[in-house]
């Protein structure tokens, strides 16, 4: 399970850019979804899909792609 704050910390670690300080924690909105879960076991059972990239590795790959394709020269 990964929270939004946990995801932001992973992004900070990978990029070296502090992002948690710019995130605004606002009051809960009516009807807001508090938790969402992705059941990878159910996906695998129904489709046969098996992820070959972890979240951390996927974030690193994505960060490197952005660096190569959108770096300021």
């Amino acid at each position: 399970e990964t929270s939004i704050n946990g995801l932001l910390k992973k992004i900070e670690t990978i990029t070296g850019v502090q992002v948690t300080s710019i995130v605004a924690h606002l009051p809960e909105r009516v009807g807001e979804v508090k938790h969402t879960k992705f059941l990878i076991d159910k996906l695998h059972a129904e489709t046969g899909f098996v992820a070959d990239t972890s979240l951390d590795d996927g974030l690193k790959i994505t960060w490197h792609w952005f660096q190569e394709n959108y770096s300021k020269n």
Side-chain angles (χ1 to χ4, degrees), residues 44-64:
H44 175 69
E46 293 183 8
T47 68
F49 175 80
V50 177
D52 59 357
T53 305
S54 68
L55 176 59
D56 289 349
D57 287 344
L59 289 171
K60 289 174 189 172
I61 292 165
T62 301
W63 175 243
H64 291 301

Side-chain angles (χ1 to χ4, degrees), residues 10 16-18 25 28 33 37-38 44 55 59 63 68:
K10 288 178 182 288
V17 177
Q18 187 179 19
H25 294 275
E28 184 178 318
V33 177
K37 291 192 178 195
F38 184 78
H44 175 69
L55 176 59
L59 289 171
W63 175 243
E68 291 176 8

